[in-house]
Amino acid sequence: MSELPQFVDIQQIFELLPHRYPFLMVDRVTEVVPGESLKAFKNVTVNEPFFQGHFPGLPVMPGVLMCEALAQAGGLLALLSDEEMSKGDNVFLFTGIDKVRFRRRVVPGDKLDLEVFDMKRKMNLIKMSGKALVNGELACQGIMSAAIVNREDM
């Protein structure tokens, strides 16, 4: 694999992931160990569209979106770990998340640190662990799985 950059910025994330506003949940990748782990973050602002209804007067980031942020970080780890995987028109389909736990609220102004690790791949299936933290405090954790599918086969 060619040498990875020091970090992966939003423009490079756009090249790797199909997600766009309002559903892109990763702002920057800060560390990658191909095939092993990735660290990234999502800056949570009051301008997030989900805060309008979750909950008026008491904005809280939905837990399912924390899981989505971890899944997107996992997709980035897989893509940055295997050049062949990032070629062509592959799409990662989130197939499951197990042992999910939510430990703290995430609110506007928080920086959601994302860590995915312990990646295992078998054919077109990927499984890895992930955790989301705010100021070093665990907000969410789980074990995610995804399938790699060619867009043309969908």
Side-chain angles (χ1 to χ4, degrees), residues 5 10 28 37 39 49 53 57 81 87 94 103 106-108 121 123 133 144:
I10 194 67
R28 177 169 288 189
S37 64
K39 291 183 179 182
S81 297
K87 290 180 181 173
F94 198 13
R103 302 293 185 199
V106 176
V107 298
R121 181 175 179 192
M123 298 174 63
L133 305 107
M144 304 162 293

Side-chain angles (χ1 to χ4, degrees), residues 24-131:
L24 182 61
M25 299 288 158
V26 179
D27 291 330
R28 177 169 288 189
V29 174
T30 57
E31 183 181 311
V32 182
V33 179
E36 292 182 26
S37 64
L38 177 139
K39 291 183 179 182
F41 65 82
K42 160 80 176 139
N43 288 311
V44 181
T45 74
V46 74
N47 296 320
E48 307 289 348
F50 51 79
F51 285 137
Q52 292 178 21
H54 198 267
F55 300 99
L58 184 64
V60 176
M61 184 176 190
V64 69
L65 294 181
M66 285 188 265
C67 293
E68 176 64 25
L70 287 170
Q72 290 180 21
L76 288 165
L77 173 58
L79 288 167
L80 292 167
S81 297
D82 186 339
E83 245 179 82
E84 289 303 311
M85 203 180 312
S86 63
K87 290 180 181 173
D89 214 5
N90 289 329
V91 177
F92 289 83
L93 300 178
F94 198 13
T95 58
I97 188 160
D98 298 311
K99 299 183 181 178
V100 177
R101 296 289 179 264
F102 301 104
R103 302 293 185 199
R104 83 179 298 282
R105 291 182 305 132
V106 176
V107 298
D110 284 343
K111 178 181 174 191
L112 190 64
D113 290 309
L114 307 166
E115 298 180 13
V116 290
F117 48 93
D118 196 25
M119 184 175 91
K120 293 173 179 54
R121 181 175 179 192
K122 187 174 184 179
M123 298 174 63
N124 72 328
L125 300 175
I126 294 178
K127 194 170 202 172
M128 68 186 76
S129 299
K131 60 184 179 178

